[in-house]
Amino acid sequence: MSLRAGEDGPPGPTSTRRGSPAVSRSASLAPLVVVLGAALAAVVGVVAGFRWAGLVLAAVLLTTAVARLTLPAPVLGALAVRSRGTDVVTCVVLGAGLVVLALTAPS
């Protein structure tokens, strides 16, 4: 199938289409929130110890899983790279593993 002059083809990698400004702003906020949660876990680790840091990091992962499960992909931006199921299962397994490790690790 060939295109005639003046006809547009399907959007490709060089397409200039963009989402609405509200979606692109929130898409850049989602990864930032996760990074800030990880930074908070580091601060908690220094102040309160590794056990609490692990629990905070687990909470960040579990919150990310809930966000990935409930929010549409354009809102999450870079956090929505793989399929929804893969992202949710990965975050839940890693979050639950961190909870177990934080609660059972010797002091």
Side-chain angles (χ1 to χ4, degrees):
M1 175 177 148
S2 64
L3 296 176
R4 295 183 186 152
E7 289 183 1
D8 289 335
T14 59
S15 175
T16 58
R17 287 189 198 173
R18 294 186 183 189
S20 68
V23 170
S24 60
R25 257 185 256 124
S26 63
S28 62
L29 282 178
L32 179 65
V33 169
V34 172
V35 169
L36 289 176
L40 175 66
V43 170
V44 168
V46 170
V47 173
F50 73 92
R51 191 173 308 258
W52 287 104
L55 292 174
V56 169
L57 197 54
V60 169
L61 280 167
L62 295 172
T63 303
T64 303
V66 170
R68 182 65 175 110
L69 187 63
T70 58
L71 296 174
V75 173
L76 294 173
L79 295 180
V81 176
R82 295 159 300 275
S83 71
R84 185 179 304 255
T86 300
D87 285 344
V88 170
V89 168
T90 301
C91 287
V92 167
V93 167
L94 291 174
L98 271 173
V99 168
V100 169
L101 286 173
L103 295 178
T104 59
S107 297

